[in-house]
């Protein structure tokens, strides 16, 4: 490898990074399409036909992003069988945090007892979990961390305009998490991580509001805080850019679309996933979908779908997966995964461990 100043250096050998645990949590309260039709001029028929969504989970009472994140992280830890104090990196992806600081990562670190961990927050909307996972992998590959907790939690019900029928019907609240560990194996066969800020205005949430006395231009908070989306443009971006990203990542891994057992894509719209299946020429049943029950849960959508599909026995160790997050930024991250998670709480995991121990003893 040649550095920019002309010196050559040896590429260091990197440590393998395995996904060892997956977890998720969705709040109990369910909002159906019929419930929404009491709020805005919409119908169950329109929402199902245009998006594939039937219902979504939303927070109630005093539930917070950190609380959802902690529950998902605890689930992923239990799945991995790794104690909290062996986690040395926590990355939290959220674009709807409870506060600008302290970060969600700090609250998760404290709650799971990761007493020696480093960490930080990442705000990359629906791409957040994927980008956080690829970042955590770099820490593991270089030996900077042995075990990492990647957690994604979003509460969009706080930030949608409940009078805007084009956006309020789309989103749900949830959290998802994964544990990544140093290993002889590497779960990541390839990845692509990209941004296109030129289209950032198509999907934005937040404020230009300033309390600085020197700033003269002030915008009414209501106008800017709520999520605003040009749905058609974001749809075009998703079906245009994302399949190319998947094709490039597959090529890097030396695989073809047909070699992939399951596609776990950001759960934004069933029509987007159907279009991707068609474009990649794979059966629609290879697309893992749970947005009918959860809606678009932003950063949480991929780990939530992974957790459910693996719990149902649909995604199995040894299978190859395409994971792809995309959305505001605009941003997208694709990874080709050799799935390896065996839930340490399950009877079969204990059986596999017992057989391995007996086998090792016999030799
Ligand atoms: O998570 C980040 C990534 N996000 C995405 O990937 C989202 C991508 N975009 C989409 O999924 C779709 O664009 C939407 C689901 C948001 C919208 O679907 P669409 O087929 O693009 O609908 P549209 O915005 O073109 O609206 C069509 C019609 C309009 O009426 P007119 O102007 O044709 O009379 C809308 O006013 O549907 C109307 N409409 C609704 N009608 C009933 C929009 N929302 C609703 C609604 N109920 N909830």
């Amino acid at each position: 490898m040649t550095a920019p100043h002309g010196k050559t250096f040896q590429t260091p050998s990197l440590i393998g990074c395995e996904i060892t645990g997956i977890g998720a949590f969705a709040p109990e309260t369910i909002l159906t399409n019929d419930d929404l039709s009491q709020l805005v001029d919409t119908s169950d028929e329109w929402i199902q036909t245009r998006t594939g969504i039937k219902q979504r989970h939303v927070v109630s009472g005093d539930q917070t992003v950190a609380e959802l994140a902690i529950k998902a992280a605890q689930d992923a830890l239990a799945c991995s069988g790794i104690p909290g104090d062996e986690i040395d990196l926590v990355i939290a992806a959220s674009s709807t945090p409870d506060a600008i600081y302290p970060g969600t990562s700090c609250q998760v670190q404290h709650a799971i007892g990761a007493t020696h961990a480093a960490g930080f927050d990442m705000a990359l909307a629906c791409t957040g979990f994927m980008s956080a996972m690829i970042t955590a992998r770099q820490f593991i590959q270089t030996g900077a961390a042995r075990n990492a907790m990647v957690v994604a939690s979003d509460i969009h019900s706080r930030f949608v305009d409940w009078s805007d029928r084009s956006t309020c019907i789309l989103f749900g609240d949830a959290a998802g998490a994964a544990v990544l560990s140093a290993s002889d194996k590497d779960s990541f066969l390839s990845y692509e991580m990209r941004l296109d800020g030129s289209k950032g205005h198509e999907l934005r949430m937040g404020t230009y509001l300033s309390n600085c006395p020197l700033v003269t231009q002030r915008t009414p908070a209501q106008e800017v805080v709520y999520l605003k989306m040009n749905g058609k443009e974001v749809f075009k971006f998703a079906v245009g850019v994302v399949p190319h990203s998947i094709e490039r990542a597959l090529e890097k891994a030396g695989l073809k679309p047909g070699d992939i057992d399951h596609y776990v894509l950001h759960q934004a719209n069933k029509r987007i996933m159907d279009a991707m299946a068609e474009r990649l020429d794979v059966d629609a049943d290879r697309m893992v979908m749970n947005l009918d029950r959860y809606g678009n849960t932003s950063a949480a959508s991929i780990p939530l779908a992974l957790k459910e599909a693996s719990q149902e026995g649909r995604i199995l160790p040894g299978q190859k997966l395409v994971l792809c997050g995309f959305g505001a930024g605009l941003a997208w991250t694709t990874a080709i995964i050799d799935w390896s998670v065996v839930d340490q709480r399950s009877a079969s995991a204990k059986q596999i461990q017992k057989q391995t121990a007996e086998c090792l003893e016999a030799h």
Side-chain angles (χ1 to χ4, degrees):
M1 195 181 280
T2 309
H5 45 74
K7 282 186 187 160
T8 54
F9 58 89
Q10 204 73 34
T11 308
S13 58
L14 296 170
I15 298 163
C17 172
E18 213 179 346
I19 304 175
T20 49
I22 190 83
F25 179 78
E28 306 73 24
T29 309
I30 288 173
L31 211 53
T32 65
N33 292 347
D34 286 334
D35 293 333
L36 286 175
S37 68
Q38 311 292 312
L39 280 179
V40 286
D41 181 15
T42 191
S43 65
D44 177 47
E45 202 262 331
W46 192 96
I47 301 173
Q48 282 208 46
T49 316
R50 299 289 182 116
T51 71
I53 300 166
K54 294 181 183 163
Q55 62 172 49
R56 67 288 294 139
H57 292 239
V58 291
V59 290
S60 59
D62 57 2
Q63 283 180 310
T64 61
V65 159
E67 183 185 327
L68 268 51
I70 289 163
K71 287 191 166 142
Q74 284 166 337
D75 188 25
L77 263 189
C79 174
S80 72
I82 292 167
D85 64 0
E86 288 184 21
I87 296 288
D88 29 40
L89 177 72
V90 179
I91 308 183
S94 179
S95 298
T96 55
D98 303 318
I100 294 173
Y101 51 80
T104 310
S105 54
C106 304
Q107 297 183 63
V108 172
Q109 170 273 325
H110 177 61
I112 64 171
T115 42
H116 309 290
F120 49 90
D121 282 24
M122 193 181 265
L124 209 57
C126 306
T127 317
F129 173 77
M130 289 301 299
S131 302
M133 194 159 67
I134 297 298
T135 306
R137 179 185 177 235
Q138 321 292 322
F139 278 76
I140 287 177
Q141 283 188 306
T142 55
R146 296 280 305 164
N147 297 296
M149 170 63 69
V150 178
V151 59
S153 181
D154 268 315
I155 297 185
H156 267 86
S157 61
R158 282 176 179 166
F159 290 97
V160 290
D161 176 351
W162 287 102
S163 65
D164 174 8
R165 68 177 182 174
S166 70
T167 53
C168 76
I169 53 119
L170 299 172
F171 294 90
D173 304 333
V179 177
L180 270 52
S181 305
S183 167
D184 294 341
K185 297 184 220 144
D186 200 341
S187 300
F188 296 79
L189 304 180
S190 72
Y191 74 91
E192 178 181 275
M193 216 172 154
R194 293 283 299 277
L195 301 176
D196 178 7
S198 72
K199 301 215 173 68
H201 55 280
E202 305 292 10
L203 175 47
R204 65 169 288 128
M205 187 178 79
T207 179
Y208 292 116
L209 212 64
S210 169
N211 200 32
C212 172
L214 302 179
V215 172
T216 48
Q217 193 183 350
R218 288 168 192 254
T219 329
Q222 249 52 348
E223 288 298 308
V224 286
V225 168
Y226 298 146
L227 180 149
K228 295 259 186 299
M229 175 166 70
N230 180 346
K232 273 200 186 317
E233 281 307 311
V234 180
F235 192 100
K236 269 196 250 164
F237 146 73
V239 297
V241 168
V242 173
H244 285 301
S245 173
I246 293 175
E247 280 162 356
R248 281 191 295 270
L250 282 171
E251 204 182 317
K252 275 192 219 164
L255 295 169
K256 301 234 167 334
D259 298 328
I260 298 299
D261 298 287
H262 305 286
Y263 288 76
V264 186
L265 311 183
H266 172 47
Q267 307 283 303
N269 190 319
K270 180 178 184 297
R271 288 190 291 140
I272 294 177
M273 287 186 265
D274 288 344
M276 301 242 192
E278 203 178 315
R279 165 72 198 273
L280 294 164
D281 196 20
V282 295
D283 288 345
D285 65 9
R286 293 207 195 181
M287 299 280 152
V288 172
M289 288 196 213
N290 68 358
L291 89 164
D292 56 327
R293 283 165 292 125
Y294 297 100
N296 178 345
T297 56
S298 193
S301 86
I302 291 177
L304 178 62
L306 280 170
K307 160 74 203 237
E308 274 207 346
S310 101
Q311 204 168 30
E312 286 160 6
R314 182 171 172 197
I315 291 181
L316 297 165
Q319 290 185 332
K320 294 201 171 38
L321 314 181
V322 164
L323 310 185
C324 180
F326 54 87
L330 301 174
W332 63 98
T333 296
T334 304
I336 314 295
I337 300 291
D338 187 356
W339 188 248
S340 55
V341 176
V342 177
D343 194 324
Q344 297 304 310
R345 293 164 292 194
S346 71
S348 59
K350 292 194 179 86
Q351 184 65 21
I352 292 166
Q353 279 161 348
K354 191 164 164 261
Q355 280 167 351
T356 313
E358 281 166 5
C359 189
L360 286 172
E361 214 166 282
H363 288 83

